[in-house]
Amino acid sequence: MTERRGYHQFCGVSRALDIVGERWTLLLVRDLLLGGRRFSDLLAALPGLTPNLLSRRLKEMQEHGLVGQRRLPPRTRPRCTN
């Protein structure tokens, strides 16, 4: 695996870009700002993003304190009204 590119500066803006400037990360932030999302929802919203990469990005974002993990309520099935 190649070394991650970064700005290697001590400026707050460059440090932030080192974290959120990775591919897919800003798009994940965008989608997560809309509220809680399931893993499958994020995969569906970002075609081309693989499950392994999504897992890695979410883990990195969690390690840096950008996101947290919580359990969402179960999905409800639509009810048929006949």
Side-chain angles (χ1 to χ4, degrees):
M1 189 169 189
T2 61
E3 177 74 23
R4 266 197 169 162
R5 291 175 28 179
Y7 294 102
H8 306 292
Q9 301 287 315
F10 295 104
C11 165
V13 172
S14 62
R15 277 294 300 137
L17 283 173
D18 282 343
I19 297 167
V20 298
E22 287 291 321
R23 187 172 185 199
W24 297 107
T25 304
L26 282 176
L27 296 175
L28 286 169
V29 169
R30 176 199 64 190
D31 286 358
L32 292 171
L33 284 173
L34 300 173
R37 297 283 184 269
R38 288 178 167 78
F39 189 88
S40 58
D41 296 335
L42 292 170
L43 275 178
L46 298 166
L49 178 60
T50 64
N52 287 342
L53 185 55
L54 175 57
S55 295
R56 193 175 333 137
R57 288 292 180 263
L58 290 172
K59 182 179 178 185
E60 291 167 355
M61 292 168 67
Q62 193 170 8
E63 288 171 355
H64 285 98
L66 295 174
V67 297
Q69 186 176 7
R70 62 183 167 107
R71 188 169 293 283
L72 293 175
R75 292 182 190 226
T76 58
R77 290 187 164 183
R79 296 179 68 182
C80 294
T81 55
N82 294 329

